[in-house]
Amino acid sequence: MTRTPYTAEALTTDGKLTDIRIHRQDKTWHMWGRKGLEREQTLAETVPSGTLPVLIGSGLGYCMEALHSKGFPVVVVDKEQAILDLTRSVPHHDTMLSIHDDDPAKAFQRIANWQTQHGGYPLHLVIHPLYPRLDREYYGPIIEAVKSSGTVDFWSRAHYPKFQSTRPRVLFFDSGYFLCREILAAFDRLEIEYRTIPLDNRETGDQSFIESILKSVIDYKPDLVLTVNHFGLDREGKLAELLADLNLPLASWFVDNPHLILFDYAHPGSDNTVIFSFDAGSMETVRDKGFPHVHYLPLATDPAKFMPGRIVKTPAQWHADVSFVGNSMVRPVADCLEQANLPAYFAADYKNVARHFGESDEKLISNFLKKHHLDWHKTIAALPTKENRLASESLLTWEATRQYRLDCIRQILPYTPLIVGDAGWDTILPQGITIRRLERLDYYEDLPRFYQVSKINFNCTSHQMPGAVNQRVFDVPACNGFLITDHREQMEDLFDLDTEAVVYRHPEEIPYLIDHFLADPKKRSLIATAARKRILAAHTYEIRLTRLLETMRNTFG
């Protein structure tokens, strides 16, 4: 988080510095209010003998000098140059250490080294209350680390052996995103011990998030950290460096396109990080980002949620010969077009380029543009912000998906399909064609029942996953539902395409398949039953997470 600038003003009484007044935006704070000398001397009196005082902020300098006069070695954490310029209370004795590293983890490492040099005595916090308010993101993690250090060197306690028991302990960054609930449910069934740290902001964690990690390392001692889509990891790599310093392995399971997530990711992968990707075709791209440990881990299903039955009270409007659940991509395309801020010519041409991309064999939009539309590649590279660049690549990916889905859905229109999706479908489907549309269904409560009352569940995959399969490929058969889906390279490793799945390779094949299987309910049932058997044997989240944990143990155990 960017620090909010402030100005500092010295207040004196009879020529003696007694307080500092802070002005930040529309707020004014005081370091002490009044009697700064007395208050800092009182702080010094609270430090017990046999401890090593760690001052959070040098304050007016009186506490620091009082501790020195009592014979204490002192470490002072202070990066507030505006205040230091007024107080000039810089540690200047041999037994004092001044710390102003930008990275809290490195700052605490220096504290820990200093603790060892001074006999390993317990650290004792002395907090000037103003400093955490000035920069909670910096001082907060240091305070938490000192609190957690106890009487033993923090880093000695943090560097404990990993994977010593049969079932590892997992520290899970819970972003609330797709798959998080499934992961925790699978851990429960596997009897894997875990602790969650909530991520209010899916992109990166705040100061309390960092403090929770440090605290968990000491009092929970996880064997690894697990996150989805790299949530919690900042692009600059500060958290990755902290986890590496803590000798704590990280598993990051990508269930969306890694290229779009790691776009302009500045920090190379650390040796303690293992990337799991739902798309085998993306693994080389991830390795090119600097991650040495990359594994294929496809999606799966939760058989406790997606299972046959519970359809007695299914609403009549759910029943259909053919149904489709999916987004029209109208809104994502519009949002990306606005965020990309492309020059006018390119903003007018994106649909043609997206169509070309969708018809090509290229899996990554960036490679496609380099080979076939160099003007687009150069224009995107020249955009002023990484947000513009990411939005431009996403625009072409989502527009290619929109066009492809529309081409596929047009093939099922003669069967009066039931579409579960957004209102964008109403704007792009041909006028005068009869369809039924439901706005949305709850993933956990509704879809497991919905899939069972469609004779044919139709599926077409997003272009963000050119070789991988999406969630419906597992969820529909798990409910004993019948699915027709588009062919994906990786399906051949997941199902027997002759007996466990029905696929089309071109949209023109769709009407024949629908006619054939609508007329043969027995064959639909045989294929759905075989697919469910395969899923229960090979494609549940318990199976996926067992493999993930085994990979982490083999890599770091």
Side-chain angles (χ1 to χ4, degrees):
M1 178 179 291
T2 304
R3 283 167 55 101
T4 304
Y6 64 87
T7 58
E9 176 187 1
L11 303 179
T12 60
T13 302
D14 298 330
K16 199 171 190 65
L17 182 64
T18 55
D19 196 12
I20 298 291
R21 185 156 51 202
I22 301 295
H23 305 279
R24 184 160 70 182
Q25 294 180 336
D26 58 347
K27 296 181 180 179
T28 299
W29 299 331
H30 287 263
M31 181 177 288
W32 293 116
R34 58 180 181 174
K35 297 185 178 179
L37 172 60
E38 293 88 338
R39 292 193 176 194
E40 292 208 359
Q41 288 175 336
T42 300
L43 273 181
E45 295 294 332
T46 66
V47 178
S49 59
T51 64
L52 300 172
V54 178
L55 272 64
I56 303 300
S58 55
L60 303 177
Y62 301 131
C63 179
M64 179 175 62
E65 291 298 332
L67 288 169
H68 173 69
S69 67
K70 292 174 176 287
F72 284 99
V74 180
V75 61
V76 181
V77 183
D78 193 334
K79 62 196 297 285
E80 309 308 318
Q81 193 59 49
I83 296 176
L84 292 171
D85 288 343
L86 297 174
T87 65
R88 306 205 178 273
S89 53
V90 179
H92 53 276
H93 301 289
D94 292 340
T95 57
M96 292 184 177
L97 174 65
S98 176
I99 293 179
H100 45 79
D101 301 73
D102 287 335
D103 185 348
K106 291 180 179 178
F108 185 73
Q109 179 67 73
R110 291 188 63 197
I111 295 173
N113 294 339
W114 175 84
Q115 179 186 24
T116 301
Q117 295 166 7
H118 288 83
Y121 290 102
L123 302 176
H124 182 85
L125 270 172
V126 181
I127 303 174
H128 286 84
L130 175 67
Y131 288 77
R133 297 179 69 184
L134 292 176
D135 194 343
R136 184 68 176 166
E137 300 289 328
Y138 178 72
Y139 295 106
I142 297 174
I143 292 170
E144 189 61 39
V146 172
K147 287 179 179 178
S148 301
S149 67
T151 59
V152 183
D153 170 40
F154 174 86
W155 293 100
S156 296
R157 298 174 69 189
H159 290 176
Y160 49 85
K162 308 296 191 298
F163 298 98
Q164 300 299 296
S165 62
T166 304
R167 292 186 176 91
R169 288 184 170 190
V170 180
L171 185 62
F172 181 58
F173 294 169
D174 189 356
S175 62
Y177 189 63
F178 157 70
L179 209 65
C180 289
R181 192 186 301 189
E182 286 83 352
I183 288 173
L184 297 182
F187 279 159
D188 287 336
R189 290 191 287 271
L190 292 168
E191 297 183 347
I192 297 296
E193 187 176 349
Y194 62 87
R195 176 182 289 187
T196 62
I197 299 181
L199 263 175
D200 295 329
N201 177 350
R202 283 180 183 167
E203 295 300 319
T204 57
D206 57 12
Q207 143 271 332
S208 63
F209 173 73
I210 303 297
E211 292 175 16
S212 296
I213 295 173
L214 296 173
K215 186 176 187 299
S216 295
V217 165
I218 297 302
D219 64 19
Y220 178 63
K221 289 184 166 48
D223 293 295
L224 72 148
V225 168
L226 173 62
T227 189
V228 173
N229 280 357
H230 236 46
F231 289 136
L233 280 292
D234 56 285
R235 291 186 178 277
E236 295 73 26
K238 291 183 179 179
L239 180 57
E241 289 181 358
L242 173 60
L243 295 177
D245 290 342
L246 292 168
N247 197 27
L248 186 55
L250 168 69
S252 186
W253 189 0
F254 282 85
V255 297
D256 290 307
N257 190 327
H259 174 71
L260 296 181
I261 296 168
L262 295 175
F263 187 92
D264 274 3
Y265 192 79
H267 182 70
S270 301
D271 288 339
N272 75 313
T273 299
V274 179
I275 300 296
F276 296 88
S277 176
F278 81 122
D279 182 1
S282 68
M283 294 169 62
E284 198 59 39
T285 300
V286 176
R287 290 191 184 100
D288 289 343
K289 289 286 185 181
F291 294 92
H293 308 296
V294 185
H295 298 269
Y296 172 48
L297 195 67
L299 299 173
T301 195
D302 181 348
K305 290 289 185 184
F306 289 86
M307 58 189 297
R310 300 194 305 152
I311 61 173
V312 176
K313 296 182 179 180
T314 301
Q317 65 265 33
W318 288 8
H319 292 249
D321 284 347
V322 181
S323 69
F324 171 74
V325 179
N327 196 295
S328 70
M329 305 308 294
V330 170
R331 173 52 58 188
V333 167
D335 289 343
C336 287
L337 181 60
E338 180 179 357
Q339 295 164 10
N341 198 24
L342 288 164
Y345 169 77
F346 294 89
D349 190 44
Y350 76 90
K351 291 183 179 181
N352 294 325
V353 176
R355 171 69 72 178
H356 188 191
F357 172 53
E359 293 170 349
S360 75
D361 294 327
E362 288 291 343
K363 292 180 170 58
L364 277 181
I365 184 64
S366 55
N367 292 343
F368 167 78
L369 294 177
K370 287 179 187 177
K371 292 181 180 179
H372 303 288
H373 291 273
L374 192 57
D375 56 339
W376 267 84
H377 172 70
K378 291 179 178 179
T379 297
I380 290 176
L383 292 173
T385 70
K386 64 175 180 288
E387 288 78 16
N388 295 143
R389 297 188 290 274
L390 175 58
S392 298
E393 290 202 2
S394 299
L395 168 68
L396 296 173
T397 302
W398 299 145
E399 174 60 19
T401 298
R402 188 196 69 80
Q403 295 178 15
Y404 171 66
R405 281 192 175 172
L406 183 57
D407 289 345
C408 291
I409 295 302
R410 282 181 174 138
Q411 301 294 326
I412 69 173
L413 291 180
Y415 303 92
T416 315
L418 173 57
I419 295 179
V420 180
D422 58 289
W425 286 113
D426 300 335
T427 67
I428 61 175
L429 289 174
Q431 298 299 310
I433 298 294
T434 302
I435 66 164
R436 294 184 294 145
R437 186 176 68 82
L438 298 177
E439 188 66 31
R440 68 177 302 273
L441 293 176
D442 184 87
Y443 178 76
Y444 296 101
E445 295 301 322
D446 296 335
L447 286 183
R449 296 184 295 148
F450 177 83
Y451 289 147
Q452 298 177 64
V453 296
S454 288
K455 293 179 182 178
I456 293 177
N457 293 276
F458 180 75
N459 185 48
C460 50
T461 313
S462 166
H463 272 280
Q464 72 142 331
M465 43 203 309
V469 300
N470 64 16
Q471 192 67 48
R472 274 180 289 282
V473 171
F474 302 104
D475 289 347
V476 172
C479 304
N480 254 359
F482 177 76
L483 180 76
I484 293 178
T485 187
D486 44 356
H487 178 267
R488 287 292 183 264
E489 292 177 8
Q490 292 154 42
M491 275 201 75
E492 298 180 9
D493 297 323
L494 301 170
F495 295 94
D496 183 333
L497 299 190
D498 293 326
T499 61
E500 298 170 346
V502 175
V503 301
Y504 59 91
R505 286 170 168 79
H506 302 285
E508 294 77 15
E509 301 171 9
I510 294 169
Y512 166 78
L513 292 173
I514 290 179
D515 286 336
H516 178 76
F517 284 102
L518 278 178
D520 197 340
K522 184 177 180 180
K523 196 166 186 178
R524 294 201 309 266
S525 178
L526 287 173
I527 292 173
T529 300
R532 173 171 163 76
K533 183 177 179 181
R534 168 75 71 167
I535 286 167
L536 294 179
H539 304 315
T540 69
Y541 281 115
E542 290 96 317
I543 294 169
R544 296 287 189 261
L545 288 164
T546 297
R547 182 182 166 196
L548 182 150
L549 295 177
E550 287 175 351
T551 300
M552 296 300 288
R553 182 187 296 278
N554 292 337
T555 305
F556 301 107

